[in-house]
Amino acid sequence: MVFLIFLMLVATGLGVAIVGSVALPAHRDGKVMFTPRGAARLGLLRRRRPRTH
């Protein structure tokens, strides 16, 4: 069971590393991360979120 948890953590770490190796250079180059439709949905979620502070 511990081995399975370890393998899941390794797989998650590899996934984060791969996404980071693609997303960070693109972000530094000034490329937009979201499509206009995705940005609009994100804006809706931010407006609908209740304030906690």
Side-chain angles (χ1 to χ4, degrees), residues 19-38:
V19 169
S21 69
V22 172
L24 288 177
H27 181 65
R28 288 184 186 139
D29 288 342
K31 294 182 181 175
V32 179
M33 298 299 247
F34 299 107
T35 62
R37 183 178 176 190

Side-chain angles (χ1 to χ4, degrees), residues 1-48:
M1 186 63 144
V2 174
F3 186 68
L4 180 64
I5 293 171
F6 176 73
L7 285 178
M8 289 172 60
L9 289 174
V10 169
T12 303
L14 284 172
V16 168
I18 291 169
V19 169
S21 69
V22 172
L24 288 177
H27 181 65
R28 288 184 186 139
D29 288 342
K31 294 182 181 175
V32 179
M33 298 299 247
F34 299 107
T35 62
R37 183 178 176 190
R41 286 186 178 190
L42 187 62
L44 286 174
L45 287 174
R46 286 183 179 167
R47 279 183 259 152
R48 295 172 74 191

